Amino acid sequence: MPGSPLPAYNPRDYPPVAVTVDMAVFTIHDDTLRVLLVERGEEPFKGAWALPGGFVRPDEDLNAAAARELREETGVTEEDAYLEQLRSYGSPQRDPRMRVITVAYWAACPNLAPPTGGGDAARADLVPVSRVEDLSIDLAFDHTEILGDALERLRSKMEYTAVGARFCRPRFTISELRRVYEAAWNTTLDPGNFQRNVRRSSSFKKARSGDPPRGHRVGRPASLWSIRGELSSPGRPLATRRGPRAKNRG
Amino acid sequence: MPGSPLPAYNPRDYPPVAVTVDMAVFTIHDDTLRVLLVERGEEPFKGAWALPGGFVRPDEDLNAAAARELREETGVTEEDAYLEQLRSYGSPQRDPRMRVITVAYWAACPNLAPPTGGGDAARADLVPVSRVEDLSIDLAFDHTEILGDALERLRSKMEYTAVGARFCRPRFTISELRRVYEAAWNTTLDPGNFQRNVRRSSSFKKARSGDPPRGHRVGRPASLWSIRGELSSPGRPLATRRGPRAKNRG
DNA sequence: CAAGGTTATTGACAGTGTGACAATAAGTGT
DNA sequence: ACACTTATTGTCACACTGTCAATAACCTTG
């Protein structure tokens, strides 16, 4: 670092601006891709659904702020979820109170439990993303746009990385993983082909043994798999994107 | 908009933070992928190379700030270049003077002219990205990381969109486009295959006529092409990524 | 003008990946 | 043992890719 004196900025020289993080926390529940939304308790947009978020603290890294928000809102730690910055939104009018620039993040959480609506202050819920995509629900601020971008990134990333597995527990069956992909695009995938793609991908490895998958106890037991190393590209897509509702095959 | 009074934020309640945009402006010059860098004129990092950038103005959209910086630094307007937000960087120590959160953008410019080192205040230059990638040049602040991320995004986007054509003039030959891709990965592509991929892609269309390409006047004249519509995915990659320096084929 | 050189464009072909779908395996419940 | 369900493995036609050859169209030179 050079030794000359630093010409310190005078913060008063620059207009006040607040920096926040907003989170699109995704999970699969009831075979449906859902996002965590909170109900706003005050103006503006009082009563409307919004992405959870909060201010970035003075000495806090952006990623740390996002991880903290994730933990505060869901109890999920950074290790248990996949967390990635999306991009920033800073339209001058996006918050009527003052200039707020928000850094959006998205997260993939394994089977998040629906928030118990119990006597808590803020109401929160896991809402199917389709309800926002078809505009049945209108989010506060520019959060509809943010969520749309987050969904686009999530789906794109699911195509060419193993991130879909972060919706599952550490050990998962190929069918569980397939159901994640089916939920993400609301479609149906061929079990045989999906199996082949996972087996050929270098991003997954068969687990030594492990607990048998619980739940359905019908049909041939499936073997367990896990992610190999970090989320690198599996070479070719696990599943090519398909049209919306092709759940019916001849 | 709800009618209740807004609980106005008190800017003094939140720590001072500055928001800037930093730009990775790419272009192809001498068949080499280059990035525009400026020499810092003051501390910190005085004398070091840095990405051009500046403060976001009070009532300025982030994209507008990036477009303004691009214009100020290169004279190129938003229409002539491809401009996209990358992500934000906000480590608390990234600028020793105060908390600065920067929103990084990257741009693809058609044959940008090398800045004339003439008596201008700040020195600027089009530096081959390889010089930064191989760490021959160390950038100020966290700009090496930003540029690395921008390069990753640029190359990734070039694989599955027609963004590479934004390095060319509006009408271009397939060879010109191929040379862009060859420069981006410092590799060699088979002309026949590349031709086939472009012709099959729905992202390009043959131009009616147009000026014959200037420059080399040797060999069979090439037909001119242009981008069809916006930059959507061309279906399959124009060129799959290859190893660094495979320029020699038996 | 014909020959030779250079780039553009089109074809031919083998190898590989993909989607559709059939067949087999290995459990559960009756 | 039989019926049913899910997992896993195979088959096969077809599309896509990379390699490499052939042709086209222009420029320069003798």
Side-chain angles (χ1 to χ4, degrees), chain B residues 194-216:
Chain B
F194 193 82
Q195 183 103 205
R196 176 174 62 188
N197 294 339
V198 170
R199 199 149 359 86
R200 186 162 53 199
S201 167
S202 62
S203 302
F204 304 99
K205 63 180 178 197
K206 193 178 278 194
R208 304 186 170 291
S209 62
D211 317 319
R214 48 187 172 180
H216 302 299

Side-chain angles (χ1 to χ4, degrees), chain B residues 162-172 177 202-206 225-232:
Chain B
V163 74
R166 300 302 297 267
F167 286 112
C168 303
R169 280 161 294 162
R171 305 285 178 93
F172 51 87
L177 185 59
S202 62
S203 302
F204 304 99
K205 63 180 178 197
K206 193 178 278 194
W225 294 69
S226 63
I227 300 180
R228 188 206 304 276
E230 293 307 309
L231 290 186
S232 55

Side-chain angles (χ1 to χ4, degrees), chain A residues 44-67:
Chain A
F45 298 101
K46 181 172 181 175
W49 290 105
L51 299 175
F55 289 95
V56 175
R57 294 180 178 166
D59 285 306
E60 192 177 47
D61 194 358
L62 297 178
N63 273 22

Side-chain angles (χ1 to χ4, degrees), chain A residues 2 4-7 9 11-12 14-17 19 42-46 55-62 85-92 95-101 103 153, chain B residues 2 4-7 9 11-12 14-17 19 42-46 55-62 85-92 95-101 103 153:
Chain A
S4 310
L6 296 181
Y9 284 178
R12 297 288 182 280
Y14 304 102
V17 52
V19 178
E42 46 185 80
E43 297 297 343
F45 298 101
K46 181 172 181 175
F55 289 95
V56 175
R57 294 180 178 166
D59 285 306
E60 192 177 47
D61 194 358
L62 297 178
Q85 186 183 316
L86 177 60
R87 48 160 289 181
S88 294
Y89 299 79
S91 164
D95 189 316
R97 293 165 294 187
M98 70 176 288
R99 184 78 194 264
V100 177
I101 286 169
V103 186
R153 180 87 130 251
Chain B
S4 309
L6 295 181
Y9 284 178
R12 296 289 181 279
Y14 304 101
V17 53
V19 178
E42 47 184 80
E43 298 295 346
F45 299 101
K46 182 171 181 175
F55 289 95
V56 176
R57 293 179 178 167
D59 286 305
E60 192 176 46
D61 194 358
L62 298 177
Q85 186 183 317
L86 178 60
R87 48 160 289 180
S88 295
Y89 298 80
S91 163
D95 189 316
R97 293 164 294 187
M98 69 176 289
R99 185 78 195 265
V100 177
I101 287 169
V103 185
R153 180 86 131 250

Side-chain angles (χ1 to χ4, degrees), chain A residues 11-29:
Chain A
R12 297 288 182 280
D13 292 348
Y14 304 102
V17 52
V19 178
T20 61
V21 295
D22 284 324
M23 308 272 314
V25 180
F26 296 109
T27 195
I28 308 280
H29 187 73

Side-chain angles (χ1 to χ4, degrees), chain A residues 203-219:
Chain A
S203 302
F204 303 98
K205 63 182 179 197
K206 193 178 277 195
R208 302 185 172 291
S209 62
D211 316 320
R214 49 188 172 178
H216 301 299
R217 286 139 171 284
V218 67

